[in-house]
Amino acid sequence: MSPITVAILGATGDLGLRVVRRFLSPEYSPSQISKVKFFTRNPSSAGAQELKTLGAEPIEGEVTAAGLKGVDVFISLIGGAADVDYMNKYAKEAVDAGVKVYIPSEFGIDHRGNNDFHHELFDGKEAHYHYASSISGGKVKIVSLYVGLFLEDTFGLGETLGLDIKNGVYTSFGPAETPISFNSREDISSSIVRISVLAAADPNSVPDFTRISGSAVSYNQLAALVGKARGTEIQVVEVDDAESKNLLSTGDPWTRFWRALRYGYGHGLTDFTKDNANEILNPGQKYWKWKTMEEWVEETKGV
């Protein structure tokens, strides 16, 4: 297959910079990747300048079919609240431009199906997927990538995830033995690149809903790892389903969002240990070595 052209929305963020670096690494460029473009409203910003230094080509302004002309893979890395109208608009532009592969902004919990909770962010992303699928008419391969939790955010988020680091108490919404999949930003970046290359060559080679699991531990296992690294005991507390569900319906949207995530962690919605695409994207860890929670705890000592 001829080298492909990639365009990215949200490339100036931390994950975006890593993805661009990976695309433009000697392993992929120029043999498999001919160009990496990125959309920006401010091409003179520090992030845009860094991307240009790496060799990426800026496209000033909003996502348009004209800007996506000749692009094989379009990737959205925008974070924050889900603006469904905005996402639908750029998906329509991608379809009109004839891109082969579209990777929407997911990179978290697998929120599909009939779950015990709803949140407007997850509902918005699901609505966007159905819209993009309906207008593509099967001509665009759409790959939603679910990564569980970013490994590096584990202890930085702290009490947001129920990890009271100061007092050594971890609180799980649901069974504390449920595995949670974690992936480092570098592993997520490598996975995005592999999805792009594989799906552009053969749309059937990658699942529409792709899940990865670089490492997986439960709240109980995490407490044991951190306790061993710090030479102390970490207490684990479980919040029962009735109380957890009550908390899901109270508070501001972002408070409810994090509570919904924690509920999902405790009820297997980020347990990608058995159903994942690790061997499709990185068979036998041929292309990179997955970073583990054990390694992260060793580096950070759980703080």
Side-chain angles (χ1 to χ4, degrees):
M1 189 187 80
S2 300
I4 62 175
T5 296
V6 177
I8 303 172
L9 176 64
T12 56
D14 179 62
L15 181 61
L17 287 168
R18 294 171 190 264
V19 171
V20 171
R21 288 193 191 99
R22 192 73 175 131
F23 270 122
L24 294 175
S25 66
E27 182 178 351
Y28 292 101
S29 177
S31 60
Q32 299 178 72
I33 306 298
S34 62
K35 288 182 182 179
V36 175
K37 301 181 179 183
F38 66 98
F39 290 93
T40 177
R41 295 188 180 108
N42 183 8
S44 62
S45 69
Q49 290 300 313
E50 183 173 356
L51 290 169
K52 289 169 65 177
T53 300
L54 292 172
E57 177 184 319
I59 305 172
E60 187 172 357
E62 299 293 340
V63 177
T64 63
L68 288 168
K69 184 179 181 180
V71 168
D72 299 291
V73 180
F74 173 52
I75 304 166
S76 173
L77 298 177
I78 57 172
D83 183 337
V84 180
D85 289 340
Y86 180 51
M87 294 191 295
N88 288 350
K89 181 180 181 301
Y90 62 65
K92 178 67 162 56
E93 298 294 330
V95 170
D96 290 346
V99 302
K100 298 176 182 176
V101 180
Y102 169 44
I103 303 176
S105 179
E106 281 288 353
F107 316 115
I109 194 170
D110 188 348
H111 50 79
R112 296 173 296 147
N114 296 317
N115 301 313
D116 289 336
F117 67 89
H118 287 280
H119 187 277
E120 49 265 42
L121 188 145
F122 303 136
D123 293 343
K125 287 188 174 185
E126 193 152 353
H128 169 65
Y129 174 82
H130 289 302
Y131 171 80
S133 298
S134 69
I135 64 169
S136 71
K139 296 179 181 179
V140 180
K141 172 71 173 183
I142 303 173
V143 183
S144 297
L145 176 61
Y146 302 107
V147 307
L149 183 62
F150 283 38
L151 184 69
E152 297 90 345
D153 290 346
T154 309
F155 305 114
L157 288 170
E159 291 194 43
T160 303
L161 298 180
L163 308 181
D164 184 345
I165 294 169
K166 180 180 178 180
N167 295 308
V169 180
Y170 293 177
T171 303
S172 171
F173 279 15
E177 71 272 10
T178 305
I180 302 166
S181 290
F182 294 82
N183 289 279
S184 74
R185 283 174 168 78
E186 285 300 319
D187 292 347
I188 294 169
S189 301
S190 296
S191 297
I192 291 171
V193 174
R194 285 286 293 159
I195 288 169
S196 301
V197 170
L198 290 173
D202 177 7
N204 294 321
S205 65
V206 180
D208 294 343
F209 303 103
T210 297
R211 314 196 313 177
I212 57 173
S213 184
S215 185
V217 297
S218 66
Y219 273 77
N220 284 339
Q221 291 171 322
L222 183 61
L225 287 171
V226 174
K228 181 179 178 180
R230 296 173 63 183
T232 187
E233 183 178 352
I234 306 294
Q235 180 185 1
V236 179
V237 177
E238 291 185 1
V239 178
D240 65 31
D241 281 0
E243 185 178 351
S244 297
K245 289 179 181 178
N246 181 57
L247 290 170
L248 295 180
S249 61
T250 61
D252 62 74
W254 279 112
T255 298
R256 290 187 290 103
F257 167 74
W258 287 109
R259 287 173 178 171
L261 283 184
R262 289 174 61 189
Y263 186 87
Y265 299 156
H267 291 79
L269 299 186
T270 51
D271 178 6
F272 305 154
T273 53
K274 295 182 177 65
D275 180 12
N276 63 61
N278 286 18
E279 286 302 303
I280 294 174
L281 305 181
N282 188 24
Q285 301 192 71
K286 174 182 178 181
Y287 297 101
W288 73 89
K289 181 180 181 297
W290 300 99
K291 187 160 188 174
T292 67
M293 179 59 79
E294 288 82 357
E295 292 170 326
W296 186 241
V297 169
E298 184 62 31
E299 286 180 32
T300 64
K301 299 298 185 280
V303 296

